[in-house]
Amino acid sequence: MIDHRTLRVALLGAGSVGSQVARLLLEHADELEERAGARLELAGIAVRNIDAQRDVDLPRELLTTDASELIVGSDIVIELMGGIEPAKSYILEALNSGADVVTGNKALLATHGAEIFDAADQVGASVSYEAAVAGAIPIVRPLKDSLAGDRVKRIFGIVNGSTNYILDRMDRDGLPADEAAQIASDLGFLEADPTLDVEGYDAAQKAAIIASLAFHTRVSIDDVHREGITGVTAEMIESASRAGYVIKLLAVCERLDATGDGHEESISVRVYPALISREHPLASVHGGNNAVFVEAEAAGSLMFYGAGAGGIETASAVMGDVVSAARRHIAGGVGVGESPRGQLPVAPIGRIITSYQIRLEVSDEPGVLEAIASILTEGGVSAAAVEQTAIPSDGQAARAQLVIGTHRAREEALAATVERLAASDVVIRVASVLRVEGE
Amino acid sequence: MIDHRTLRVALLGAGSVGSQVARLLLEHADELEERAGARLELAGIAVRNIDAQRDVDLPRELLTTDASELIVGSDIVIELMGGIEPAKSYILEALNSGADVVTGNKALLATHGAEIFDAADQVGASVSYEAAVAGAIPIVRPLKDSLAGDRVKRIFGIVNGSTNYILDRMDRDGLPADEAAQIASDLGFLEADPTLDVEGYDAAQKAAIIASLAFHTRVSIDDVHREGITGVTAEMIESASRAGYVIKLLAVCERLDATGDGHEESISVRVYPALISREHPLASVHGGNNAVFVEAEAAGSLMFYGAGAGGIETASAVMGDVVSAARRHIAGGVGVGESPRGQLPVAPIGRIITSYQIRLEVSDEPGVLEAIASILTEGGVSAAAVEQTAIPSDGQAARAQLVIGTHRAREEALAATVERLAASDVVIRVASVLRVEGE
């Protein structure tokens, strides 16, 4: 059903993703016309600086600094500028002028998603954002459409490539954290502001978007419990490895059942470095790759794997959204919009239930193990495995490292127990506490 | 944007998938209404025998033996009867009466897909079939929508769970082929007619559907080169393993570039047991799981992993399609239909280029290796690795096994070379020739 209409496409931003999107629109125009059912005419590219250096040579006559003028009369507006403003204003302008919007702006959606989706619903336009979550990996569409008749229980995944690269080099090549981070930076893996990656902000933005989709609930970045990887040391990786685990920065979005003691059904959205079994498919996600593991009631376990970033890879996700938006334009009718929203509350981190690996430095003397075991038992935390290693004493009092793998426990109970451990006479220090996921 | 319409849903078939779909429609009616934007009313379930035993207790008043009557006036018809007729006639009836169709019928689509999609396009209705390819794994939608703006180069994957189970048990537990097959059968993994699985018919049907989608070309089951796993022996698995490979039954759909010697651009669609590196993500797909690896020009490598079969898992895929069809009904407009078709020819198997592992039984005497090397060289096939092992002689003339890993070669050259090897005096027999994929 080819309709020989021409759709006017406006592109905002010509960075590493935007310039590739422009190239695909120009070079693959015939193939795209067949796929979309209409000619996709790149009407112009709004940039801040027309003379800036770009990855791809773009026709100069398409470049403009006036985004608003470009938006008027466009059928599809692709926003790849990033940042909150002016991106947000342009998207609202586009929606109000009747255009469908395609964006890869995770920071914007994780903070102002509700406002943008409401604006789209009001005018019956669509906002697509496959590129905002895990680069080229289709995850938004599977959650929105393929699993629309199922019930998602849990999603956890590696959604930030640069931190995965760092942890992977530490794990596989034994590099110290700073050296691995330096290599990641040299390779261009890290954002200009590396704290976005290493402190988990980027992953937290994606987690907010994924949780919103999966649980039909509005989740913003402020709802996400976030811990980065800067505290992860070679010792933690080694202790994890000896117990059969690897450390990954995970984004976890989980449905928590209502409990007998008055807690209603809720969701937990969190980002932290966690232990995952070496047997788990996520453990073999190496380098800068991303993967998202979905557990649904009917579908069981699904995994989506691929390149989580990169200009050309992310451009593929943008183009999929553009073709879909074009088809919708031609088919007519109103946009489906975001699914109506459930109103599940977001639970505090203390409510989650998982298992843990606790590393303690203790006095190496008789009775220590008993003292610690009794603190655990009092706290309602039960040990599944304990490994004790003597620490070279350098003439000081004898010390040992104790690595305790726990059974599943509620985080608030675990945290209280760790406090009591820290206060105990036999414990010199609590070296680290990490959660275990995927079991 | 909730429209409090009610959509009439007709279900044809109440086998392992159909009965789960009925259960989800009935038990999750409220949640589905929210997701779809309309009430999905299960109007009836057409079955052959009302009194048959079923996995799920279904309300007797919904069961009918008159599918045609049920179809009239339905908005969405879900066909899960399987087989060619009467499924095909019912689907055409449904489309002609204005219903959208959701089906999991791979045999039907792989043989009569063109006729069904044409019928849908003519009336502006949609035919969705996520459940037809890899059970719960979203693969149809990613190919159709997410990668619509990209160019797929190659797809290869494990799309039949029972043969993967058999090969996995042979590889990991050293079971002989017949024992592994018996266990698969006992566990209910094999179809009633096991040749559908072990001879690769099921995988070939799925390959035809995947290739049609990926290359926007009509591919039917007759276009698929098919070899099953019945010839795979413990010796092949052992030789593969020693060289760092595992044997998987792969469905491969590949774009072949035009060549200088007059061959135009074409596609190859094939199913056979092939070697794949133990380092490749597909190598760690164990048991009855499925996984599909996609290589696209912009997106790079993507993998989709999950349960490839199972009533409840496949029902999830069906329900995703049902909710999408419902949304489309409410949004109005015509169905997007299948993308307009490219017309790439399907190349014969001789045109593919890959590497191979050849196992020969040869006379163990001086000069044999030179003789074989010269046959390879003449044939334009170059060896990358050779492993020679003496075969216990039992008083007969000395023999050896020669395992040759080749560099990439065109299959027609390889086949001619293997014929010359078989005819050579020094070769007692060609024990096996397997292709290597994913390199």
Side-chain angles (χ1 to χ4, degrees):
Chain A
M1 224 171 317
I2 287 221
D3 176 331
H4 285 284
R5 280 172 62 181
T6 294
L7 297 181
R8 210 181 123 91
V9 178
L11 175 60
L12 315 183
S16 62
V17 181
S19 56
Q20 294 291 351
V21 166
R23 183 180 68 77
L24 292 173
L25 279 167
L26 296 169
E27 285 180 9
H28 293 187
D30 292 342
E31 211 159 331
L32 289 167
E33 177 171 2
E34 247 192 62
R35 306 273 179 85
R39 191 85 187 163
L40 299 177
E41 186 208 338
L42 181 54
I45 309 169
V47 295
R48 255 183 313 200
N49 174 3
I50 290 191
D51 298 311
Q53 280 283 334
R54 306 211 151 73
D55 299 352
V56 174
D57 271 336
L58 299 174
R60 207 181 162 85
E61 67 274 17
L62 289 180
L63 300 179
T64 172
T65 54
D66 190 342
S68 291
E69 198 197 49
L70 183 60
I71 289 168
V72 176
S74 289
D75 298 295
I76 297 171
V77 173
I78 308 171
E79 183 276 307
L80 296 168
M81 320 170 70
I84 305 299
E85 282 295 355
K88 183 179 154 206
S89 300
Y90 289 146
I91 287 178
L92 294 175
E93 273 176 39
L95 291 171
N96 289 327
S97 78
D100 285 311
V101 168
V102 175
T103 176
N105 195 327
K106 49 190 173 277
L108 178 58
L109 293 179
T111 40
H112 300 281
E115 185 180 347
I116 287 166
F117 295 130
D118 282 346
D121 280 357
Q122 260 165 33
V123 297
S126 67
V127 178
S128 317
Y129 49 96
E130 188 66 78
V133 177
I137 309 174
I139 177 70
V140 172
R141 202 178 302 270
L143 284 176
K144 207 165 170 173
D145 296 334
S146 309
L147 290 166
D150 203 338
R151 198 153 186 271
V152 172
K153 291 191 295 188
R154 197 146 179 270
I155 297 181
F156 53 108
I158 296 164
V159 296
N160 180 275
S162 27
T163 48
N164 195 59
Y165 180 88
I166 294 171
L167 294 174
D168 194 36
R169 292 299 303 263
M170 291 174 72
D171 178 59
R172 298 215 290 176
D173 305 323
L175 295 188
D178 53 352
E179 198 175 315
Q182 186 58 51
I183 296 174
S185 171
D186 292 348
L187 290 172
F189 269 141
L190 288 168
E191 302 261 355
D193 174 4
T195 56
L196 283 178
D197 292 314
V198 298
E199 296 294 357
Y201 288 100
D202 175 81
Q205 288 167 351
K206 292 165 179 167
I209 297 173
I210 291 174
S212 299
L213 268 166
F215 304 122
H216 308 269
T217 284
R218 285 181 165 159
V219 178
S220 95
I221 178 90
D222 302 327
D223 298 315
V224 183
H225 174 90
R226 179 189 48 74
E227 299 171 30
I229 66 161
T230 48
V232 177
T233 62
E235 292 72 39
M236 289 184 202
I237 287 184
E238 204 197 308
S239 293
S241 187
R242 268 207 311 276
Y245 297 102
V246 56
I247 297 181
K248 296 285 188 187
L249 182 69
L250 295 183
V252 184
C253 309
E254 186 178 34
R255 201 184 280 273
L256 303 178
D257 291 332
T259 58
D261 55 339
H263 289 293
E264 55 189 331
E265 184 185 15
S266 59
I267 58 174
S268 161
V269 192
R270 51 199 202 255
V271 168
Y272 46 55
L275 274 62
I276 196 152
S277 161
R278 288 203 179 265
E279 300 292 307
H280 195 281
L282 285 182
S284 50
V285 175
H286 299 299
N289 283 309
N290 281 197
V292 178
F293 210 83
V294 179
E295 293 174 5
E297 215 169 87
S301 295
L302 300 172
M303 188 172 82
F304 303 85
Y305 165 94
I312 175 77
E313 292 85 354
T314 308
S316 169
V318 172
M319 291 306 299
D321 279 348
V322 169
V323 169
S324 290
R327 289 177 181 163
R328 199 190 75 73
H329 241 86
I330 297 162
V334 297
V336 168
E338 294 298 287
S339 279
R341 299 288 167 158
Q343 293 300 338
L344 293 175
V346 178
I349 190 73
R351 285 264 294 123
I352 73 164
I353 296 176
T354 186
S355 43
Y356 299 82
Q357 189 184 62
I358 306 168
R359 285 167 61 243
L360 303 175
E361 202 177 306
V362 298
S363 317
D364 196 359
E365 56 191 48
V368 166
L369 216 51
E370 288 74 4
I372 285 168
S374 107
I375 294 173
L376 291 176
T377 307
E378 270 170 47
V381 174
S382 113
V386 178
E387 188 207 48
Q388 180 164 351
T389 345
I391 298 175
S393 69
D394 303 336
Q396 299 179 309
R399 290 174 305 150
Q401 173 176 268
L402 216 55
V403 178
I404 304 166
T406 77
H407 285 294
R408 286 164 68 79
R410 191 176 293 279
E411 173 117 354
E412 53 201 9
L414 190 283
T417 306
V418 168
E419 268 186 40
R420 280 195 293 272
L421 286 170
S424 152
D425 287 344
V426 299
V427 173
I428 299 166
R429 68 181 186 108
V430 177
S432 65
V433 180
L434 285 172
R435 299 160 190 100
V436 181
E437 294 286 350
E439 306 207 309
Chain B
M1 225 172 316
I2 286 221
D3 176 334
H4 285 286
R5 278 172 63 182
T6 293
L7 297 180
R8 209 180 124 91
V9 178
L11 174 60
L12 314 183
S16 63
V17 181
S19 57
Q20 293 291 348
V21 166
R23 184 180 66 79
L24 292 172
L25 280 167
L26 295 170
E27 284 181 9
H28 294 187
D30 292 341
E31 211 158 331
L32 289 167
E33 176 171 4
E34 247 191 63
R35 307 272 179 85
R39 192 84 184 164
L40 300 177
E41 186 209 338
L42 181 55
I45 309 169
V47 294
R48 257 184 313 199
N49 173 3
I50 291 193
D51 297 311
Q53 279 283 335
R54 307 211 150 73
D55 299 352
V56 175
D57 270 334
L58 299 174
R60 207 181 161 82
E61 67 274 16
L62 289 179
L63 301 178
T64 170
T65 54
D66 190 343
S68 291
E69 198 198 50
L70 184 59
I71 289 168
V72 175
S74 288
D75 298 295
I76 296 172
V77 173
I78 308 171
E79 184 277 305
L80 296 169
M81 319 170 69
I84 305 300
E85 283 294 359
K88 184 180 154 207
S89 299
Y90 289 146
I91 286 179
L92 294 175
E93 273 176 41
L95 291 171
N96 289 327
S97 79
D100 286 313
V101 168
V102 175
T103 175
N105 195 328
K106 47 191 175 278
L108 178 59
L109 293 178
T111 40
H112 300 281
E115 186 181 345
I116 287 166
F117 295 130
D118 282 347
D121 280 359
Q122 261 166 33
V123 297
S126 68
V127 178
S128 316
Y129 49 97
E130 187 66 80
V133 178
I137 310 173
I139 177 70
V140 171
R141 203 179 299 271
L143 284 177
K144 206 165 172 173
D145 297 332
S146 309
L147 290 166
D150 202 336
R151 202 156 183 269
V152 172
K153 291 192 292 188
R154 198 148 179 269
I155 297 181
F156 53 109
I158 296 164
V159 296
N160 179 274
S162 26
T163 49
N164 195 59
Y165 180 86
I166 294 171
L167 294 173
D168 195 36
R169 292 299 302 264
M170 290 174 73
D171 179 59
R172 298 214 290 175
D173 304 323
L175 294 190
D178 52 352
E179 198 175 316
Q182 186 57 52
I183 296 173
S185 170
D186 293 347
L187 290 172
F189 269 141
L190 289 167
E191 302 260 357
D193 174 3
T195 55
L196 283 177
D197 292 315
V198 297
E199 295 295 356
Y201 289 99
D202 175 82
Q205 289 166 351
K206 292 165 179 166
I209 297 172
I210 292 174
S212 299
L213 268 167
F215 303 123
H216 307 270
T217 284
R218 283 181 167 161
V219 178
S220 94
I221 177 89
D222 302 328
D223 298 315
V224 183
H225 174 89
R226 177 188 50 74
E227 300 171 29
I229 65 161
T230 48
V232 177
T233 63
E235 292 73 36
M236 291 185 201
I237 288 183
E238 203 197 308
S239 292
S241 186
R242 269 208 309 277
Y245 296 102
V246 56
I247 297 181
K248 295 287 189 188
L249 182 70
L250 296 183
V252 184
C253 310
E254 188 177 32
R255 200 185 280 270
L256 304 178
D257 291 332
T259 58
D261 55 341
H263 289 292
E264 57 188 329
E265 185 185 16
S266 58
I267 58 173
S268 162
V269 192
R270 51 200 202 255
V271 168
Y272 45 54
L275 275 63
I276 196 150
S277 161
R278 287 203 181 266
E279 301 292 306
H280 195 281
L282 286 182
S284 51
V285 175
H286 299 299
N289 283 310
N290 281 196
V292 178
F293 210 82
V294 179
E295 293 174 6
E297 216 169 86
S301 296
L302 301 172
M303 188 172 84
F304 303 85
Y305 165 94
I312 176 78
E313 293 86 352
T314 308
S316 169
V318 172
M319 292 306 300
D321 280 348
V322 169
V323 169
S324 290
R327 288 178 182 161
R328 200 191 75 71
H329 242 85
I330 297 163
V334 297
V336 167
E338 294 298 287
S339 280
R341 300 288 166 155
Q343 292 301 337
L344 294 175
V346 178
I349 189 76
R351 286 263 294 118
I352 72 164
I353 297 175
T354 185
S355 43
Y356 299 83
Q357 187 184 62
I358 306 170
R359 285 168 58 244
L360 303 175
E361 201 178 306
V362 299
S363 317
D364 197 358
E365 54 192 50
V368 167
L369 216 52
E370 289 75 2
I372 285 167
S374 107
I375 295 173
L376 291 175
T377 307
E378 272 169 45
V381 174
S382 112
V386 178
E387 187 206 48
Q388 181 166 349
T389 346
I391 298 176
S393 69
D394 302 335
Q396 300 178 305
R399 292 172 304 150
Q401 173 175 270
L402 217 56
V403 178
I404 305 166
T406 77
H407 285 295
R408 285 164 69 78
R410 191 176 294 278
E411 172 118 353
E412 54 202 7
L414 190 283
T417 306
V418 168
E419 268 185 41
R420 280 195 292 274
L421 286 171
S424 154
D425 287 343
V426 299
V427 173
I428 300 168
R429 68 182 187 106
V430 177
S432 64
V433 181
L434 285 172
R435 300 160 188 99
V436 181
E437 295 287 351
E439 303 207 311

